[in-house]
């Protein structure tokens, strides 16, 4: 069969530090009809750049330097804007990571679907709507006849992402580029989108480039996988082959990260640090976001709070820290009931409970240096200043495995995501806390970087006996770090217990669904799961 | 800083040259100026000559001398006023954003009330009641202007206030002052700087128009707005004299705006 897409010896350059520097080097790939090619690698690997280049597009400040991009007989390298315009949408389409940001919030979903085919003169508006409904049905969207007439904010993240896929299909392209389409979604909604991707590529005979950083996800949809790093090809192979016998060390690292955790003995004799009793909270005064929460965190142990987005995990963190006073119930810290409002708490209470955030970019003041970020809690809580503080900051930097000499004077904007998150940890540690609340601390990071961070947190716990309350939607993280698991759904705790107990059957229906939704490194996992669920419905 | 100056675009450099020229004139007025600020040296509305570079004004004072001293009075006054309005406006704006709740409501509605009056009318009212002394002038314009600064800094601070680093500071137990000074101000600086430049021009023009109406700086003190008014009659005789102070006002406004444009460009993160 002929190749739909042929990229040969592609070099892409970006302009920085006042010269053109290659960010993608010598990449060649072929894509046949009905085939899915997975591109995998950490951020900065050049995955998205290649995906966009397949459409003859580069981000601002980048250029296609050399090589050839042949799309079904059309050479895109050096093609005119007119030629590119004709190809985009009709032959190749793009599905971006964040569907929410790609939809115009003030138009109905179906109208946005119809825009492209009507513009390209392929069909009339009515016809486009009919096709949209048909596609919505094929992509398993609920009430396909009606859902298109909603506004984007009236759809869930998974539904939006699927209608985005439908939109990409509107001009009947031969190739679709999926750029991390499930990264922003929960595990349970991720399944829906993956099933939709599979439906399109297999039953509708389209080709696809699937870009992701998650090997387990790509294993479900791709026939072949290319592993990329720093713009270079590391390894390429059939999915099964690559998963079973990876040749390169880097691929093995990517494969192994999920299985390296060792069990930690669980003893419940340790003192209780945080005790939450019957906590109910609300934002509006009407609807309860949290209902009757009971929770205990013990010294030197990690409690993982698991749930989908909207389950009230982060709200609970707000109640604990005092940002949102509870309407009922109490939060006790070291046996004493804390005042519900932040302002009434003592400095000592505040010091002993620290927080690390999901987005390190917004958790650090961009105008402050590392020295100031870490030094401030030292000065604020302990009155340490000057030379002593400098020494302390350096010690803390060494603790989080960053070289003090090269990092202490940097602005926080001059750090990578993983480094920023480490600085956040150092800031929390500077207060010498007893409890650290970690709110999705790894979800904005690449797999390997996240892995390093979890190792660091574990290491620090072993050394300082600090307790963690770990809020996450990622069960892989939970398996890695938790001693105790609390599962939340719609503001209520539906199951809690020691890790082994929660993870082994029998478990609550929802826990079951959550656990089953975590992709495994098995190419047949998605098919089996979908078959299972289908038969369960009949 | 020096590197930044060297990399600045031509327009900004022209702007800086204009502003620098004005500042030099203001600072060295007593040295450069050939005559005294208020001394009558020649005939009425003499044309320019080597003796009187810009000619003379409506009572025969040397216009060049008056321009130098005018720069001094007008620019100093505008600078102090703008600075004061920023001090008041941005502090209140930050407080409103950080405190929220009724503090915010009270301050914002108060500002709304002041803004409901046309500025010029409001200023005329206060100045005619209080009398037009320099402190009242500064105070009145600063208060009126600070309402605009309040609006801007509140909006900017609101955006910053929702950032997690501010929440982190709150959770640490930091007070209002620290949060304003260390977390919000550095991040609000670029838009505020740009606004400072613009406000400076507006104050400048405002003083000029007040002087023109006779409520600004009082004669015989030289100020550009006043000089336009005093010599306005000359224009009907085809004499260019009032155009010189008017041109100086325009030039400085353009100069400051060129610099402001550059600041806006820098703070928006567009470097190309």
């Amino acid at each position: 069969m002929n190749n739909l897409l042929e990229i040969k010896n592609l070099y892409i350059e970006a302009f920085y530090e006042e010269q053109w520097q290659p960010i993608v080097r010598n990449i060649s790939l072929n894509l046949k009809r009905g085939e899915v090619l997975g591109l995998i690698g950490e951020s900065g690997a050049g995955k998205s750049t290649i995906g966009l280049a397949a459409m003859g597009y580069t981000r601002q400040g980048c250029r296609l330097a050399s090589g050839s991009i042949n799309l079904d007989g059309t050479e895109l390298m050096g093609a005119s804007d007119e030629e590119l315009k004709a190809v985009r949408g009709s032959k190749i389409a793009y599905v971006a990571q964040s569907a929410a940001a790609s939809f115009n919030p003030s138009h109905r979903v179906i109208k946005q679907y119809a825009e492209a085919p009507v513009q390209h003169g392929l069909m009339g508006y009515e016809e486009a709507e009919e096709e949209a409904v048909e596609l919505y049905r094929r992509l398993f969207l609920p009430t396909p006849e009606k859902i298109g007439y909603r506004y984007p904010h009236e759809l869930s993240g998974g539904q939006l992402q699927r209608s985005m896929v439908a939109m990409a299909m509107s001009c009947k392209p031969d190739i679709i580029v999926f750029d991390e389409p499930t990264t922003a979604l929960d595990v349970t909604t991720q399944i829906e989108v993956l099933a939709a991707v599979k439906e399109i590529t297999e039953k509708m005979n389209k080709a696809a480039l699937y870009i992701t950083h998650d090997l387990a996800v790509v294993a479900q949809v791709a026939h072949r996988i290319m592993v990329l790093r720093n713009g270079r090809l590391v390894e390429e192979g059939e999915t099964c082959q690559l998963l079973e016998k990876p040749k390169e060390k880097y691929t093995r690292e990517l494969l192994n990260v999920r299985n390296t955790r060792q069990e930690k003995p669980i003893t419940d004799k340790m003192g209780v640090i945080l005790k939450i009793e019957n906590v109910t909270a609300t934002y509006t005064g009407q609807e309860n976001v949290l209902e009757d929460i009971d929770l205990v965190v013990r010294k030197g142990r990690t409690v993982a709070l698991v749930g989908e987005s909207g389950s009230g995990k982060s709200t609970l963190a707000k109640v604990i820290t005092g940002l949102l006073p509870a309407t009922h119930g109490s939060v006790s810290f070291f046996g004493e009931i804390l005042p519900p409002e932040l302002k009434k708490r003592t400095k000592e209470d505040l010091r002993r409970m620290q927080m690390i955030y999901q987005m390190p970019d917004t958790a650090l003041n961009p105008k402050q240096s590392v020295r100031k970020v870490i030094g401030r809690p030292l000065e604020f809580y302990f009155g340490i200043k000057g030379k002593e503080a400098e020494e302390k900051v350096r010690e803390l930097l060494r603790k989080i495995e960053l070289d003090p000499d090269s990092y202490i004077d940097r602005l926080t904007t001059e750090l990578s995501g993983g480094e920023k998150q480490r600085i956040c940890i150092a800031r929390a540690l500077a207060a010498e806390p007893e409890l650290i609340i970690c709110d999705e601390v790894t979800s904005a990071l690449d797999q390997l970087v996240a892995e390093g961070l979890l190792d660091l947190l574990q290491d620090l716990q072993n050394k300082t006996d600090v307790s963690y309350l770990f809020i996450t939607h990622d069960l892989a993280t939970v398996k890695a770090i938790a001693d105790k698991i609390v599962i939340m759904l719609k503001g209520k705790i539906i199951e809690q217990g020691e890790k082994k107990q929660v993870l082994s059957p029998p478990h609550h229906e929802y826990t079951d669904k959550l656990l089953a939704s975590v992709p495994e490194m098995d190419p047949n996992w998605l098919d089996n799961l979908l078959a299972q669920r289908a038969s369960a419905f009949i | 800083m020096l590197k930044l100056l060297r990399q600045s675009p031509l327009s900004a450099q022209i702007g800086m040259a204009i502003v620098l020229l004005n500042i030099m004139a203001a600072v060295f007025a007593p040295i450069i100026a050939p005559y005294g600020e208020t001394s009558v040296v020649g005939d009425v509305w003499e044309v320019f000559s080597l003796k009187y570079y810009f000619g003379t004004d409506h009572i025969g004072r040397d216009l060049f001398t008056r321009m130098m001293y005018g720069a001094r009075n007008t620019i100093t006054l505008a600078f102090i006023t703008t600075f004061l309005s920023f001090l008041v406006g941005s502090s209140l704006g930050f407080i409103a954003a950080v405190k929220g709740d009724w503090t915010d409501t009270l301050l914002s509605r108060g500002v709304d009330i002041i803004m409901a009056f046309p500025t010029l009318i409001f200023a005329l009212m206060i100045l005619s009641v209080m009398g037009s002394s320099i402190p009242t002038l500064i105070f009145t314009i600063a208060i009126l202007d600070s309402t605009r600064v309040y609006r801007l800094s509140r909006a900017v601070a609101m955006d910053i206030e929702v950032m997690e680093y501010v929440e982190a500071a709150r959770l640490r137990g930091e007070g209002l002052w620290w949060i304003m000074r260390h977390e919000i101000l550095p991040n609000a600086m670029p838009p505020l700087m740009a606004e400072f430049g613009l406000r400076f021009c507006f104050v400048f023009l405002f003083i000029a128009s007040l002087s023109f109406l006779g409520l600004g700086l009082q004669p015989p003190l030289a100020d550009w707005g006043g000089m336009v008014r005093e010599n306005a009659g000359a224009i009907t005789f085809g004499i260019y004299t009032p155009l010189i102070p008017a041109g100086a006002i325009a030039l400085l406004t353009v100069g400051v705006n060129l610099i402001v444009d550059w600041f806006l460009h820098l703070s928006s993160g567009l470097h190309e």
Side-chain angles (χ1 to χ4, degrees), chain B residues 256-270:
Chain B
V256 171
N257 272 296
L258 285 175
I259 301 176
V260 165
D261 279 348
W262 177 50
F263 269 131
L264 282 175
H265 193 74
L266 281 181
S267 70
S268 68
L270 297 169

Side-chain angles (χ1 to χ4, degrees), chain A residues 6 22 51 63 68 102 128 186 219 252 278 347 395 399 508 514 526-527 532:
Chain A
E6 251 184 63
R63 66 171 184 194
S68 89
S102 308
D186 296 318
R252 277 201 295 276
N278 304 323
K347 209 165 166 181
E395 191 189 313
K399 260 192 195 163
H508 189 279
L514 212 57
L526 181 65
D527 293 333
Q532 242 177 48

Side-chain angles (χ1 to χ4, degrees), chain A residues 270-277 295-301 320 330-339 345-354 431-436 464-468:
Chain A
M270 4 271 309
V272 172
I273 286 201
L274 181 77
K275 192 171 186 184
I276 300 169
E277 285 173 301
L295 191 76
V296 167
V297 181
R298 288 173 192 277
K299 185 156 181 61
R301 288 295 167 262
I320 297 170
S330 65
V331 178
S332 323
F333 198 45
F334 286 95
E336 278 174 42
I337 292 180
L338 286 177
R345 297 191 179 177
T346 63
K347 209 165 166 181
E348 185 66 5
D349 283 335
L350 296 175
R351 177 186 72 74
R352 291 196 292 185
M353 187 192 295
Q354 292 291 314
E432 296 177 15
E434 306 281 349
L435 172 72
I436 300 182
T464 60
D465 228 17
V466 61
S467 311
Y468 295 128

